[in-house]
Amino acid sequence: MTGPNEPSVQQLADRAWSRGAYPHVLDCGTEPDKMSTVDAIAAALSFPDWFGRNLDALYDSLTDLSWLPPGEHVLIWVDADLLKRADPKAYLAIHGVLSDAQRALAPGGERADNRRLTVVLASS
């Protein structure tokens, strides 16, 4: 649940659209685990069928995004704290991959091109 000062998922998506970015909502449900979260990321960002379903493949796909239109892609991770509480190690690993991918696609990053990734943590 969002607090009084926290924007809703819809508001975050609207903000992304208003600046010309593409919002992608990542909702892993009420009982997330490592694989369901990886699968939910793949679904939210429409990963190709060849996606390997592991953290290395997750990074490779996040830093490619060639199947998506050019521009900024905002991944809105809903209730990430659920995974953090259920499996802190998995949360840290996935959060680390997402952070690394953001840096790699940022201007001046090692994989910078005409697509950028922004990850936003949100509460439902």
Side-chain angles (χ1 to χ4, degrees), residues 3-4 6 15 18 28 47 51 54 60 74 88 90 98 103-104 114 116 120:
E6 294 180 47
R15 287 178 188 173
S18 71
C28 301
F47 282 6
F51 172 62
N54 61 57
D60 289 342
V74 179
L98 291 169
R103 279 191 298 280
N114 57 0
R116 278 194 0 230
V120 177

Side-chain angles (χ1 to χ4, degrees), residues 5-68:
N5 296 325
E6 294 180 47
S8 70
V9 173
Q10 185 60 54
Q11 288 170 321
L12 291 169
D14 290 346
R15 287 178 188 173
W17 278 118
S18 71
R19 68 174 187 264
Y22 300 93
H24 305 270
V25 177
L26 167 60
D27 189 342
C28 301
T30 58
E31 297 182 26
D33 61 18
K34 181 179 175 182
M35 284 315 301
S36 67
T37 302
V38 168
D39 288 342
I41 293 168
L45 291 168
S46 304
F47 282 6
D49 291 338
W50 49 259
F51 172 62
R53 296 188 72 225
N54 61 57
L55 294 179
D56 288 337
L58 178 63
Y59 177 81
D60 289 342
S61 294
L62 288 169
T63 57
D64 180 351
L65 301 179
S66 60
W67 55 92
L68 295 176

Side-chain angles (χ1 to χ4, degrees), residues 63-102:
T63 57
D64 180 351
L65 301 179
S66 60
W67 55 92
L68 295 176
E72 179 187 9
H73 293 271
V74 179
L75 183 63
I76 303 168
W77 187 357
V78 179
D79 293 330
D81 281 348
L82 293 176
L83 179 61
K84 188 176 186 179
R85 286 191 298 272
D87 188 345
K89 186 176 177 182
Y91 170 83
L92 289 173
I94 292 170
H95 189 276
V97 169
L98 291 169
S99 295
D100 290 348
Q102 278 187 125

